[in-house]
Structures are given as structure tokens and as C-alpha cells.
Amino acid sequence: MPLTRRDKLITYLVVGPFAIVLAFPFYWMLQTSLKSDLDLYNVENVPFGFGDGSPTLDNYRFLFEDTQYARWLLNTVLVALAVVLITLVIAMPAGYALARLSGGWGQTLGVGIFLVYLVPPTLLFLPLSRVIAELGLQDRLASLVVVYPGFTIPFATWLMMGFFKSIPRELEDAALVDGASRLKTLVRIVLPISLPGILTVVIFTFALCVNEFVYAIAFITASDSKVVSTGIYTELIRGDVFYWGALMAATLIPAIPLALLYNTFLDRFIAGFTGGAFR
Amino acid sequence: MEVVAVSRRRRRHLLEERRFLAAALIAPAVLFVGLLVGAPLILSVYLSLTDATAGSLTGDFVGFRNFTEQWSDPNFRTALRNTIVFTLLANAIIVVGAAILAHYLVRDFRGKWFLRFLILLPWAAPVALSTIGFLWIFDSLFSVVNWVLIHLSLVDEFNPPQWLGEPNKALAAITTVHAWRLLPFATVIMIAGLASIPKEVDDAAKVDGATGLRKLWYVTLPLQLPIATIAVLFGIVFTATDMAVVYILTRGGPFNSTQMLPMWAFQTGIQAGSLGQGAAIALFLLPALAVVTVLMLLFARRVEVT
Amino acid sequence: MADTPQDVERTTRREVLRRAGVGGLLIVYGGALPKTSAAGVPKYRHKELAGTLRIIQWSHFVPAYDKWFDDIYVKRWGQANDTEVVVDHINQADIPARAAAEVAAQRGHDLFFFLSPPAAYEDQVLDHSDIVQEVTKKRGKMKNVAFKATYNPKTKKYFAFSDNYVPDPVNYRTDLWGEAGFRPTSWDNVFKAAPKLRAMGHPIGIGMSNEIDSNMALMAMMMCFGSFIQNKEQRVVLNSKGTVEALKFARELYRQGMSNEIFAWTASSNNQAMVAGRLSMAMNAISITRTAEGTNPDLAAKISLLPIPSGPNGRLGLEHVMGAYVIWKFASNKAAAKKFLVDLETKYIGAFENSKFYNFPSWPASVPNIDRRVARDPVAKPPGKYKVLAEIAEKYTLNPGWPGNTNAAIDEIFNKFLIPQMFAEVAQGKRTPEEAARVYDRSFRGIFQRWRNRGKI
């Protein structure tokens, strides 16, 4: 149903300011990243404009040439992808089982899953450091790949559980009647329909991985194995000197593609979430 | 031949066996989470009952002293109070903001994709990095917020507000960052909730003459309640257990007035080396949060309108 | 029989899954493959080096130091000692987290660098006495400040090896102070000049935030007023007239001559404010002047250095930071680690020069003619500006916790930023000086008692 002009106006009046306020810090990061140090650290200069030496791509150049930023970006993506894979492989069957096969257990486990998130990682990283070291994974990216599923699987399972519950049983029962085994049913019938749900899990897991930094600091110190969040801290903040221009550039670069990605899949993502978040 | 066929059938039956299959499918997940979360949690509980220091995973048993000692420490009480206040305040903002935003974003209009992109940015950026962005925005000397205020002649040029240096302003700054970061996330969840309202309900409401505000109150909100509860629950969990924002913006300052429990636990247990105490502080909120979680999930289930 | 569409579908899906699985495996496995040395490829590729030495230290604020250390010094040492040396860097603020993680893991680097004496980790490290003795044999006695900061008299153990410390001068604007008619040689002068300077738009900048500069500046100021956290016997003596005086002074100084920003500072804030031309005085190592020399040479010429202002109890200062290496009990290459430290310290000239005089050697004899070196700095404007550093290092640098040792309780107080907290509360009127002295004295006693129970004090 098309909106009336009045409705459209109100919509823009409401959504517009929200978008401006939410996105302003990123505009500010962009602005700062294009400034030269001389311009940036001069209190007299108007921050919204460009002074002597600006605009400049020096900060971006510094980021990609004098630090291992590109490597950190790659590491972040690799870790996230690996974790997404592991999470899907483990959470989907578990979610299915909880939705279909375990009767009343589903609810209790659903609650239990949330409880996992209540323990702050601020201290969990110590015992985990021991585990990582015993596995010989200290200072390796694989350490993150092993640990992150610990907090992505519960949520993914819960999501998939809700999603599977919303898929009508008749579909599966029909296949069962036809003589297919349960496993076959799962793969051939349920999997294709669950694509939105899978997408949801992928996006959430990706977001959770990219945001994590306590474990990344504790487990990895080799510069070429760092992820974006921790590498920034080491190279762009030296003692008491902050390289603000480069810092802002560094923040901007991952945010934009990720936001584009999420935005593109948002509608499917929503379908996946409502597929049955909690029914 | 016969034997093979029988055993194959037997195996098939086993896989068909509901409970076996269920257990087999759930086992990896439980194992993973048990090892990576459960075991460290138990170890943390053990540590909180000892006087372990400086990363050592063992210590002398001291009973509940680490817990009882906290009450006499004003910094701990501040951290506890702040955790509750930040969480509630930020989430209030988030829920209201998300509800409003979601209401308008389900409509179709020109520029929706672009505006949505802008709105998603805070959630897409890694928290450690976007918080550094705010550190710069609130910088004691170069804050753009202050620059604007100064040039609107609203504040004194030589003594502009210190967003991270005065307790109340610092609290406001931290709450703002939390709300800013989670608003997109909550909005998306709310949109999902709105999208799941069946068309029949929508049509019925129109037939009954419920539009605008009335529709919002009598139809949309009640239907949104379950999913809104979930959104709030996530928001609470992500805010109350977050350390990154405080760590980067204020380190708990000014004079430890913006401490939150996860940050104070870190500062005590890791940076100051009193590991047993740090563990106790980190675990303090656990029972309260658990109760809140259970209650909210039960509530969500109860108010579900099928 | 031709493949049904379903068969084709099944095959393709299986293919995808298989490929994805292999891909995933590769990713995980790739992440687990051994890494090349972070310091670059060893020079003699074909030659298998006998051992490995893993070092972790902070990202030095002078990037040139890290370049020299990582690319030149350790490579040279590595070749001479048939060892592959790997150097990892970490942000100064994240050092405690990683240290704790390595201890919990019982595995990590052979040499771990702290920016302040890690008294709390005493049980996790070797006794560094043999290294200290070795260097003492070659270079004479270590400086008292380094000794009292790394030695535990109760357990008779050197819990760290200090290779360097950083003197903490006052940085002030000669032009502005000239206008005000004073020099910051005494806290009294500072107090008199402060209102004038602030009225000019250039306040004094002594932080009261949860960061390292605030900790050092305030603890040093306390000592000038006769206020001490502990006495020589490691007993808490905070609640004293001196403390009340110091708190009162700081409060009045804030009210008359500083601005609110001091409560919001990070370690870089006083640098930034000074280099931007705003502050008239700051207490910081030479990172301020060195940064200014790079970005704003005209301003750098107007910033001069002096020792800490004198107070009623005299002129007592602290080190700004102290480099302290530890060797974990579980380190894999202890022998190489020890030799590395000995070699580093006995010939400290390279480190001293490449850090642009930031790192002062803990064994003064390791860098001969320090006075002449600092006086001859080529970039200094006005020339000879850094001469005073030698004097500060010689006479006005004490250890945190003086007159006692830098023990685990001092370390804890330091890491929880309790001193800046105390000062900030008084400055903002939340507590009276007397009340603050009392309350914090009690709180510190609790901390000391806990560590005493653990047998460390």
C-alpha cells in the first residue's frame, strides 16, 4: 500500500535524524582520516574543513604500507569464516534435534543457552589460555578458531532451533512416509528451506567474531597473526602517542563492507529470524 | 548376505531411534560449549574461592572471603551500581529507539536502502575500533562535540565540558556508546517482529477501525512484546557483560567512578594481580543476571499471542 | 539410467559441502602452521640456528627504537649466539592481560617485558640474581632506583631485571612562564604562576586520571610534600600531615590553574595538549618534546625541561617508567634469555641513543659520558636542552614506594589507580583531604595485609 505524502514526510523526519546520529561518528572518522597531522592537531583549525596538508591519503598509505593492516584484515576474515563453518556444522544438527526430537528439553536448553552468555570473558580467558597452550595453539590464529565457537554455538543453536520449529512437520512427515530416513530428510528437504535461518546464523556469528578482542589480545602476540581489533592497538598506539588519523582510517575500512553485507542480506536475515525465533 | 542385511537394518533402526539421534546431534554442541565455557566457569568459581594471584591458576583456599570483602570496597559498590544503571538506561533508550525506528523501516520508501545502511554501521563496526572513534570524538582537547558547542557559544572555550572527565558526563558518554552500538541490532530484531505479524491481523485491525496510535497500542505492541523482550534481553546481556567500551573510553575513570563489574574484575584480577578477587567480582552478577534471564524468557513465552 | 534431477542436485550439494569442508579445514590448518619469525627471515636461511629466543615488549613510543631493536640488534645478537630471536610487540596497556594469560597457560615468551616492576608476578619468575651479579661484575653497581624496584627484601629475590628507567622531567613553556614572571623550580612558584597562566588560556596540566602519567606525577608530588605511602619497613604511613598538605595543594592548584580535562586523560592527552600549544606545563618523559620536534619544531624550541619542582620536603622525583624484563619459570630457553639480558645491559649505548635518550641504563656505567651525550643532542632546540636529563637521572629519580621497595602492594595500588582517584576526589570536592587520607590509608593497609599474608612483604 503506497504511503500518503504526509506519511512519507513523517517517515523521513523520523528515520533521517536517527540515520544521521548513528552514522555521524563514521563521517567523523572519514573526515579525520583524510587530514594531515599538521592540520589535525591544530586547535585553531576548523575540524569540518581541511587545513594545510589536507585532504591527504597519507594515513591510508601508512596503514597499508607501514603496518600489517592488510594482513590483519585477512586474518579477521579467515577466523570469522572458519568459525562460521564450525558453528554451522555443530549448531544446525543440534538445533534440529532440539526442535524436533527432544520434546520438552528444547525449552530448558534454550534458557540454558542464554545463561552461557552471562559469564564475562574477562576472566574466562585465563583458564582458556591454559587449554590453548596445551593444544599447542598459543600465538596461532587457530586458537581463536577453537575458542570462538564456544560463544557462537549456543546462540546459533537457539536460532536454528526456533527456525526449525517453524518449518511445518508435514513436510518432513511426507518424506518419511515415502520411506526416506530421517537423515536423508534433514539434508534434502529441510536444508534448502532453512537457507534464511542459515544466513541469520552466518551474519550473527560473523559479527560476534569480528567484535571479540579480549581473547585475541590474550592468545596472540605475533604481529602477523593479529586480527584487526588487536593489531590496531599495538601498532597505532605507541606508549602515549596515538596515531589518530590512521586509527580512524583503520576503523572505517572494515565497517563499510560489513554494513553493506548486512544490509544486502537484511531481508533474508529477518525472514530467518522470524522463521521462529522463539515459537 | 542375510546377516549383513539384518545388521544394516538394525543400524538404520538405531539412527531412527529418536533419542539416540537426538543425543548424537546435540552432543557436539554440548561438548564444545561444556569444554569452552563450562569448564573455565568452574575453574573461575574455584579461583574466586582462593587467593590466587597474577595469572596463577591455583591458590590457597579462603572460602567466601573474596565475596564478602567486596562490599566494603566503595569502588566495587560503584561498579555494581553502574552496571545496573548503565544497563537499564542504555536499554531503555535502545528499546524505545528501536521500536520507533522499526515501525517506520518496515514501510517502503525511496532511499530506504541507503538509510538502512547508515543505520547498520554502528553494529557492523568492531566494537574495539568504533569505541576508539568515540574516544576521539570525546577527546579532552579535540572533541568535535565541544568544537560545535564552543562555536555555538554554548560553552566556554577554555573550559569545555569534559565528556570523559566528569563523572556524570562520563556516565552519559558510556551509556551513549552502548546505546549507539546496539540500537541497529535491536531495530533489526524489532523489524523481524513486525514482519512476523500475520497479514490477517493487520487487515482485521483495519476493519475494526484501529489505525495509527490505537493500532500501535492495542495490536502492534502486544504482538511485539515477545520479540521486544528478546531484544531487551540481548541488549541487557551485551551491555552488562561488556568490557570493551569502559576499557577504551575511561578505564573506569574519572577516579574509578565509571567502573563496571567486568572492567573492575579485569582491573583487580589481571592488572592488579589479585586474581581470586577478580574472579569473585566477575561472578557476582551471574546469579542476578541468570534470574533476570529466566524471568524474561518465561515472560516472553507467556505473552506470546499465537 | 540417466541421473534424475534430484541425483544431480544431490551430487552438486555434496560437492559443495565437500569443497567447503576441505576449504574450512585448510583455513584452520593454515592458521595452525608454524609462523615465520616476526622479526623477519633469519639471515642464514640454509643454516639451522641452534635455539630460539622469544621476546615480547611494548611498542616503544619511538618507532626508531623498535626498528633498531627488531631489525638490527637482535639479528646481530642472534647470529653471534646461534639463536633465532623473535620479537613480538604489545600495547603497553595490554601487558598485564598477556602476562596473566601466559602464566595461566604456563607457556609463553622467554623474556617478558613490563613497563613497571611486576612485583605481583614474583612466584612465576626465576630469581634474577645471577644476571644482576653478572652485569654488576662488568659494570659496577646498579642504580639504587632500579635496585629498590626489582628486589624483594623479604624473600631476598630479584623478581625482575631492569634494563632501563626513564627520568621524569617537567616540561614547560619558556615563553609563557616568562610572561608570568616565574620558573617552575618550586611547587610554590607553580602555584603562584598557575592563575596567571590559566588566564592566558594556558593552564597547568597534571593529570588525575586512570593512567600512568597521573600515577607518577601525583606520587612524586606527594613525596615533595612529605607524603609517603609506606616507610622503609614497608608499613603504610599514608595518613599524615604531608598527605593532607599534598592533597590540599593539588586541590588548590586545580582550582586556580588547571581545567577539567585532567580528569579525562589518557596517557597521550598531556602530550597532545602540550604539543597543540595549550598546556603551559606538564610532567612527562621526553615523549612530548620528541613529538614536538617532529610535528611542530617552532613550538619545540619553546618547551624546556627542568627537574621536578621542590616542595616543603625537598625535591624528590620518580622514574616515569621502568623497563623490567622477567624470565618465566616455565620459559623454554632460559640460558639464552639470561645471556641476552647481560649482553643488552653491558653495552647499552645503542639502546640509549636509538631511544633518543628515553631509555636510561639501570647500570649507569653501561653508557659512558651520559652527560656529554645528552648535552650534544643534534636536534635539541635550544641546544643542550636535554643536559638536565642526566642531572634528573642522577639526583632526582626514586622508585615508586620510596623509601620502601616497590613491592606487590605498591604494584596493586599503582595498577588500580588509587592515587589519582584519591587526588581527583579531593580536587572535585567529593572528600576533604583529611577524610581522603584516612580512608585511603585504611584501604591501603588492607591491600598490604593481603600481600603480607601471602608472604611477599
Side-chain angles (χ1 to χ4, degrees):
Chain A
M1 193 195 75
L3 294 173
T4 66
R5 280 189 67 179
R6 209 188 106 231
D7 276 339
K8 274 218 181 109
L9 193 64
I10 297 184
T11 305
Y12 284 124
L13 278 178
V14 170
V15 178
F18 267 106
I20 292 177
V21 167
L22 286 174
F24 174 76
F26 292 93
Y27 157 72
W28 193 238
M29 290 177 202
L30 183 64
Q31 176 81 345
T32 306
S33 69
L34 293 173
K35 291 194 163 196
S36 70
D37 276 351
L38 202 57
D39 178 18
L40 193 60
Y41 295 122
N42 190 339
V43 210
E44 305 294 318
N45 282 359
V46 176
F48 290 100
F50 291 117
D52 13 65
S54 312
T56 168
L57 286 177
D58 275 345
N59 292 317
Y60 291 92
R61 221 190 318 258
F62 174 73
L63 211 53
F64 283 100
E65 287 174 17
D66 292 330
T67 66
Q68 300 202 287
Y69 188 66
R71 186 68 193 260
W72 301 332
L73 281 177
L74 185 67
N75 290 342
T76 313
V77 170
L78 285 181
V79 168
L81 284 179
V83 174
V84 163
L85 208 68
I86 295 180
T87 305
L88 280 177
V89 163
I90 295 189
M92 270 178 58
Y96 180 77
L98 284 174
R100 289 273 186 266
L101 303 175
S102 20
W105 274 96
Q107 293 220 17
T108 327
L109 260 149
V111 174
I113 276 166
F114 251 108
L115 295 184
V116 164
Y117 288 100
L118 301 180
V119 189
T122 47
L123 282 180
L124 284 185
F125 79 88
L126 282 185
L128 282 176
S129 296
R130 184 57 170 274
V131 173
I132 293 299
E134 294 300 326
L135 291 175
L137 294 179
Q138 199 184 51
D139 279 324
R140 305 221 164 119
L141 281 177
S143 63
L144 298 182
V145 173
V146 164
V147 171
Y148 283 179
F151 60 79
T152 59
I153 286 177
F155 183 62
T157 308
W158 182 76
L159 263 178
M160 297 268 45
M161 176 175 83
F163 190 78
F164 282 132
K165 275 210 184 129
S166 77
I167 296 180
R169 279 195 116 97
E170 299 77 58
L171 271 166
E172 287 175 58
D173 293 340
L176 280 171
V177 162
D178 280 346
S181 78
R182 220 171 242 291
L183 226 54
K184 269 221 184 101
T185 319
L186 178 67
V187 173
R188 294 174 70 190
I189 309 274
V190 178
L191 207 61
I193 306 186
S194 7
L195 226 43
I198 294 181
L199 205 61
T200 311
V201 166
V202 167
I203 290 186
F204 259 113
T205 307
F206 207 89
L208 280 176
C209 290
V210 159
N211 272 297
E212 208 289 322
F213 90 118
V214 177
Y215 292 139
I217 285 185
F219 296 163
I220 300 183
T221 52
S223 182
D224 51 358
S225 302
K226 291 194 170 140
V227 291
V228 134
S229 299
T230 51
I232 302 295
Y233 265 83
T234 320
E235 308 283 321
L236 300 182
I237 302 179
R238 295 184 155 270
D240 49 3
V241 181
F242 281 60
Y243 292 78
W244 286 113
L247 277 170
M248 294 299 108
T251 309
L252 209 51
I253 292 175
I256 294 185
L258 281 178
L260 283 174
L261 201 72
Y262 297 164
N263 200 17
T264 311
F265 291 109
L266 197 61
D267 297 308
R268 295 280 216 106
F269 169 88
I270 288 174
F273 205 87
T274 31
F278 47 87
R279 220 157 290 162
Chain B
M1 195 64 95
E2 263 278 315
V3 179
V4 178
V6 165
S7 66
R8 203 180 293 146
R9 223 180 302 135
R10 270 258 299 272
R11 200 180 48 204
R12 231 158 161 248
H13 265 212
L14 202 55
L15 280 175
E16 294 299 305
E17 180 62 42
R18 260 180 159 230
R19 273 183 307 186
F20 178 80
L21 187 61
L25 293 179
I26 301 179
V30 171
L31 211 70
F32 229 111
V33 175
L35 280 179
L36 290 177
V37 178
L41 176 60
I42 294 176
L43 191 55
S44 299
V45 172
Y46 160 70
L47 281 176
S48 70
L49 300 172
T50 67
D51 70 344
T53 59
S56 152
L57 291 179
T58 55
D60 297 325
F61 192 74
V62 294
F64 285 100
R65 207 176 63 195
N66 287 332
F67 290 91
T68 52
E69 267 179 357
Q70 294 313 318
W71 280 112
S72 49
D73 183 1
N75 283 335
F76 171 78
R77 292 201 300 271
T78 307
L80 185 60
R81 187 201 71 203
N82 283 343
T83 309
I84 298 175
V85 168
F86 281 155
T87 307
L88 290 179
L89 212 58
N91 281 288
I93 298 175
I94 291 173
V95 157
V96 170
I100 297 176
L101 206 51
H103 181 73
Y104 287 96
L105 276 180
V106 285
R107 306 178 177 185
D108 247 324
F109 53 90
R110 276 241 311 246
K112 172 169 156 177
W113 199 92
F114 179 67
L115 283 176
R116 235 172 42 176
F117 164 73
L118 292 181
I119 290 174
L120 282 176
L121 274 173
W123 182 45
V127 61
L129 302 182
S130 56
T131 312
I132 290 189
F134 270 99
L135 195 57
W136 180 237
I137 290 179
F138 290 135
D139 186 73
S140 52
L141 192 60
F142 293 105
S143 162
V144 59
V145 176
N146 284 346
W147 189 91
V148 170
L149 291 175
I150 287 174
H151 281 81
L152 287 178
S153 301
L154 288 174
V155 296
D156 170 23
E157 181 174 353
F158 291 111
N159 222 358
Q162 285 305 323
W163 297 104
L164 302 175
E166 290 160 42
N168 288 333
K169 298 202 175 74
L171 286 172
I174 293 183
T175 310
T176 304
V177 177
H178 275 302
W180 175 86
R181 187 169 87 83
L182 292 175
L183 189 59
F185 173 73
T187 306
V188 167
I189 295 188
M190 297 278 211
I191 291 180
L194 278 174
S196 72
I197 293 181
K199 207 168 179 313
E200 302 81 54
V201 177
D202 229 23
D203 295 335
K206 219 174 293 147
V207 165
D208 281 347
T211 50
L213 229 59
R214 286 195 81 206
K215 175 170 173 219
L216 190 71
W217 186 252
Y218 285 107
V219 179
T220 323
L221 277 185
L223 282 174
Q224 283 254 56
L225 218 45
I227 210 161
T229 314
I230 301 292
V232 171
L233 190 57
F234 270 118
I236 288 181
V237 166
F238 282 148
T239 315
T241 57
D242 174 73
M243 191 186 92
V245 176
V246 180
Y247 185 71
I248 297 173
L249 277 186
T250 61
R251 300 261 157 169
F255 47 86
N256 284 325
S257 64
T258 58
Q259 282 291 353
M260 286 183 75
L261 284 182
M263 176 74 209
W264 186 238
F266 184 80
Q267 207 153 327
T268 308
I270 307 296
Q271 296 186 318
S274 281
L275 198 52
Q277 291 202 312
I281 296 171
L283 291 175
F284 232 98
L285 212 50
L286 197 56
L289 279 181
V291 169
V292 167
T293 304
V294 171
L295 286 177
M296 290 190 86
L297 282 176
L298 288 179
F299 176 71
R301 218 161 285 276
R302 262 252 310 251
V303 293
E304 239 181 279
V305 179
T306 18
Chain C
M1 191 176 81
D3 281 340
T4 67
Q6 277 168 323
D7 287 326
V8 173
E9 219 185 278
R10 201 185 326 142
T11 332
T12 12
R13 229 181 314 166
R14 224 182 278 145
E15 264 301 309
V16 169
L17 276 169
R18 189 151 48 90
R19 292 216 186 107
V22 170
L25 213 66
L26 276 178
I27 290 173
V28 174
Y29 185 60
L33 284 175
K35 297 262 165 294
T36 55
S37 127
V41 180
K43 195 162 180 204
Y44 298 127
R45 251 204 188 173
H46 55 280
K47 177 176 180 209
E48 267 295 312
L49 293 169
T52 318
L53 181 66
R54 298 184 60 214
I55 305 177
I56 183 171
Q57 53 190 46
W58 72 311
S59 302
H60 203 288
F61 98 91
V62 178
Y65 179 85
D66 281 345
K67 275 207 192 58
W68 166 80
F69 193 85
D70 294 356
D71 297 339
I72 302 179
Y73 183 76
V74 302
K75 293 240 181 89
R76 219 183 326 138
W77 188 92
Q79 284 158 36
N81 290 272
D82 200 15
T83 310
E84 183 187 338
V85 184
V86 175
V87 183
D88 294 322
H89 291 279
I90 189 172
N91 182 298
Q92 148 229 357
D94 300 326
I95 290 178
R98 175 67 191 198
E102 291 197 3
V103 169
Q106 289 292 294
R107 194 175 306 197
H109 294 81
D110 300 303
L111 278 177
F112 201 102
F113 179 91
F114 286 87
L115 261 188
S116 62
Y121 284 92
E122 186 175 328
D123 288 336
Q124 318 294 342
V125 304
L126 302 177
D127 189 344
H128 298 75
S129 315
D130 46 352
I131 314 177
V132 169
Q133 277 158 25
E134 181 79 22
V135 180
T136 307
K137 250 195 290 184
K138 298 189 178 164
R139 292 281 175 251
K141 266 186 55 162
M142 78 192 295
K143 235 179 126 43
N144 206 31
V145 58
F147 168 70
K148 284 183 90 98
T150 54
Y151 180 74
N152 186 341
K154 171 102 191 199
T155 59
K156 308 248 190 301
K157 175 171 169 172
Y158 279 91
F159 56 81
F161 178 83
S162 165
D163 74 314
N164 76 285
Y165 65 97
V166 178
D168 205 358
V170 156
N171 295 249
Y172 73 105
R173 287 277 297 275
T174 45
D175 53 336
L176 301 172
W177 282 77
E179 260 185 71
F182 289 100
R183 274 180 52 182
T185 46
S186 69
W187 285 111
D188 202 45
N189 279 5
V190 173
F191 189 69
K192 292 201 182 100
K196 298 194 186 160
L197 290 164
R198 189 168 77 172
M200 286 193 251
H202 297 279
I204 308 265
I206 297 182
M208 295 192 195
S209 313
N210 282 17
E211 49 91 16
I212 189 173
D213 293 345
S214 303
N215 251 336
M216 284 316 188
L218 294 172
M219 280 169 79
M221 185 200 283
M222 279 165 65
M223 297 201 302
C224 295
F225 281 82
S227 158
F228 302 95
I229 297 178
Q230 62 175 354
N231 60 16
K232 218 175 341 160
E233 287 78 38
Q234 337 264 42
R235 300 250 151 224
V236 175
V237 291
L238 187 71
N239 194 3
S240 64
K241 210 162 79 88
T243 305
V244 174
E245 286 299 313
L247 288 169
K248 274 205 189 117
F249 177 81
R251 182 184 62 193
E252 292 316 306
L253 184 61
Y254 159 67
R255 287 185 181 160
Q256 314 263 10
M258 302 207 265
S259 73
N260 271 349
E261 62 191 297
I262 59 167
F263 302 111
W265 274 355
T266 62
S268 72
S269 307
N270 56 353
N271 296 47
Q272 275 165 213
M274 190 108 199
V275 174
R278 175 171 162 88
L279 293 181
S280 51
M281 169 179 145
M283 290 174 61
N284 202 67
I286 58 178
S287 38
I288 291 185
T289 45
R290 290 303 189 195
T291 311
E293 280 162 12
T295 57
N296 197 345
D298 296 327
L299 184 68
K302 299 190 208 148
I303 301 180
S304 232
L305 305 174
L306 273 180
I308 188 172
S310 64
N313 195 36
R315 199 186 297 275
L316 292 90
L318 289 174
E319 37 91 342
H320 190 71
V321 293
M322 174 178 292
Y325 283 96
V326 302
I327 304 178
W328 301 121
K329 277 189 180 148
F330 49 83
S332 29
N333 198 346
K334 302 194 182 83
K338 291 186 186 181
K339 183 155 196 304
F340 186 88
L341 288 179
V342 172
D343 291 341
L344 179 67
E345 188 63 20
T346 42
K347 290 216 187 67
Y348 207 70
I349 299 178
F352 179 69
E353 297 278 352
N354 280 289
S355 67
K356 302 212 196 150
F357 312 155
Y358 196 78
N359 292 16
F360 267 63
S362 298
W363 272 261
S366 298
V367 179
N369 305 318
I370 281 194
D371 316 36
R372 252 188 286 152
R373 289 176 192 272
V374 289
R376 255 187 302 150
D377 184 74
V379 201
K381 273 210 244 328
K385 169 155 80 181
Y386 292 107
K387 196 152 95 95
V388 68
L389 275 182
E391 187 190 345
I392 297 174
E394 176 81 22
K395 296 200 249 182
Y396 304 120
T397 303
L398 299 167
N399 61 303
W402 193 87
N405 289 52
T406 310
N407 53 46
I410 297 282
D411 198 25
E412 179 169 340
I413 292 171
F414 192 78
N415 282 314
K416 280 183 170 166
F417 306 110
L418 294 176
I419 297 287
Q421 183 180 354
M422 179 174 73
F423 272 84
E425 282 176 352
V426 172
Q428 291 208 5
K430 303 248 184 316
R431 282 195 211 272
T432 67
E434 293 81 6
E435 184 195 342
R438 216 180 32 243
V439 166
Y440 280 87
D441 181 282
R442 199 180 26 226
S443 151
F444 289 0
R445 275 176 207 272
I447 296 178
F448 268 76
Q449 191 54 44
R450 263 204 306 276
W451 286 101
R452 210 163 273 132
N453 291 346
R454 294 180 189 131
K456 291 290 174 290
I457 300 182

